[in-house]
Structures are given as structure tokens and as C-alpha cells.
Amino acid sequence: MNFELADKLYGLLQTKKLDEAIALAESELRNIPETDFHKILGRNLLHLVSDLKKYIADFEQSTSDILKKKHGFIKSIFGSKEKQRPVAFYCEMNGFTINYDRWFIDLFSFEKFSLDNWDWISDFYDSTSADFTITGFEDIQIVFRDMHENERFDEPNLDKAYEVCELLVILRIQELFRETYNSTKDEWSAIPMFVTAHDYDLIYKANIK
């Protein structure tokens, strides 16, 4: 991974500058002689907004039911009349650079979270029973497959483009979540959602002002 670029992108994400982060990553990729990884330039995943909205809504319903049962039937009757909901969601994309056959995401729900550190991410109480397939970048998946199966990491331009493209994939997933949240006023949209990919620290808070 291009750690110098990743650090710059992380700083932009922490200040809610996702569009600037995408522009920076695309600029870095354009500075590299053209490869098949350049196919990602100017493309997004926004065709998935409607399906993702339903996926999140269904999970919010099922995971809230689990939380209600967890805190007990009596409390649900005599306690607060407000619906019990998770206080945060976390989205993790699979390890997509090496699992190129299918790209997908899973959601996790939490009873507590912090903006000061990420230690709480391992302490989820529920997760989606079925994952959500990412479509639209299948040709990019083929490029990752070729890179690994044909061991082309000794080709400098390909290696550099790979390291930028992987970050762009994550940024486009984060953009998908931002636009999904921006397009709904459902109650679940107020629950904080944190988005990244497996083994990456590039975490974006999709709906926190």
C-alpha cells in the first residue's frame, strides 16, 4: 500500500473531505504511466444506492430486535418506550485485493463506540447474516487477479498503480455509503456508520457531521 498517500487520505476523511480525497487519489494514479488499473478513474458505485439502502434498513430492523431480546422482555415492556437501536454501525469490505472473485461488504452493530480510538470495533454484538455484493468494478477485479496470479509486482508502474487503485476502491465504497445516507431520512440514518475494508485503517464516518 502507498502509506504516504494513505496518510494524506486519512487526514482528509477525518475532516469530511471525501471528494478531495478521491480527487487526490485519482491525481496520483494519473501521474503513473497508464495501466489496466487506470480503468477505475472517473467511475463510482452509486448505482448500488437503492439496494444498499434496503440492506442497511433490513439489518437495522433485525439487529434492533436482537438488542431488544438481549436486554430482556420485561425491560422492553416496563422500560423506555423508545425503540432500542444500536448506537453505531461498522461496514467492512472483504480483503478485496486478494479475494478478487467477488467483492462484498458486511455490517456490524454496536452498543457503544468512541471517536477517540477504534478498539471498540471488535466488540460488536451482531452482524449481517448475508453479505452485500459489490458490482460494477468486475473489470478491476480481473486486473487484481492478473496481478496476483501472474506475480507482476516486479513491474514498477503496475505495482505503483495497484497501490493507488486499492485506496480508490475503498474511497468509492465510502462514497457509496455517504450518498446512501444523504438520500434517506429514515430513522436508521441517524445511527453513525463507519466504513472501511478488511485490514485497512482508512475509516470514514459516513453520516457524522
Side-chain angles (χ1 to χ4, degrees):
M1 185 170 65
N2 185 326
F3 290 100
E4 181 179 355
L5 176 59
D7 286 344
K8 293 178 181 178
L9 297 177
Y10 184 80
L12 289 170
L13 294 184
Q14 294 309 294
T15 54
K16 306 297 291 182
K17 296 178 180 178
L18 176 58
D19 291 332
E20 289 89 337
I22 292 171
L24 175 59
E26 289 202 332
S27 176
E28 288 287 328
L29 187 54
R30 288 191 176 95
N31 287 334
I32 301 169
E34 188 168 353
T35 69
D36 282 344
F37 284 111
H38 286 66
K39 294 176 182 178
I40 198 172
L41 290 171
R43 294 167 60 183
N44 60 54
L45 298 167
L46 300 186
H47 63 282
L48 295 172
V49 164
S50 179
D51 290 342
L52 180 58
K53 189 184 301 184
K54 184 179 186 306
Y55 183 68
I56 298 172
D58 289 347
F59 180 56
E60 188 275 335
Q61 180 61 57
S62 65
T63 199
S64 294
D65 289 344
I66 287 175
L67 193 61
K68 179 179 178 180
K69 293 176 182 177
K70 181 178 179 180
H71 286 282
F73 180 71
I74 299 299
K75 183 176 180 180
S76 70
I77 296 176
F78 298 104
S80 172
K81 294 183 179 180
E82 293 184 3
K83 180 179 178 181
Q84 291 181 313
R85 287 189 170 91
V87 300
F89 289 135
Y90 173 69
C91 164
E92 184 174 279
M93 186 178 180
N94 65 317
F96 63 95
T97 59
I98 58 174
N99 296 291
Y100 29 71
D101 289 338
R102 188 169 70 92
W103 288 357
F104 60 87
I105 59 169
D106 287 293
L107 301 180
F108 302 83
S109 51
F110 301 81
E111 293 186 82
K112 59 182 179 180
F113 78 101
S114 171
L115 295 176
D116 298 324
N117 62 69
W118 304 113
D119 297 341
W120 54 273
I121 285 177
S122 62
D123 193 25
F124 59 92
Y125 76 84
D126 189 27
S127 62
T128 42
S129 58
D131 54 51
F132 180 90
T133 300
I134 300 299
T135 62
F137 282 171
E138 287 82 359
D139 55 335
I140 308 299
Q141 293 171 229
I142 292 172
V143 183
F144 278 100
R145 175 194 294 275
D146 175 60
M147 191 74 173
H148 284 273
E149 294 188 355
N150 294 304
E151 299 181 352
R152 301 184 65 183
F153 288 94
D154 58 345
E155 300 178 42
N157 291 335
L158 269 178
D159 189 37
K160 291 178 182 178
Y162 173 107
E163 292 184 340
V164 178
C165 186
E166 64 178 317
L167 296 172
L168 267 171
V169 170
I170 298 171
L171 293 174
R172 290 302 186 179
I173 291 288
Q174 293 167 340
E175 178 189 43
L176 168 61
F177 270 83
R178 182 189 67 183
E179 296 309 309
T180 299
Y181 273 81
N182 285 345
S183 68
T184 184
K185 294 182 179 179
D186 292 344
E187 290 184 354
W188 55 260
S189 66
I191 301 173
M193 171 68 79
F194 301 84
V195 185
T196 190
H198 182 66
D199 276 346
Y200 288 85
D201 294 327
L202 198 66
I203 300 175
Y204 177 65
K205 300 180 284 290
N207 62 329
I208 295 181
K209 303 297 183 183

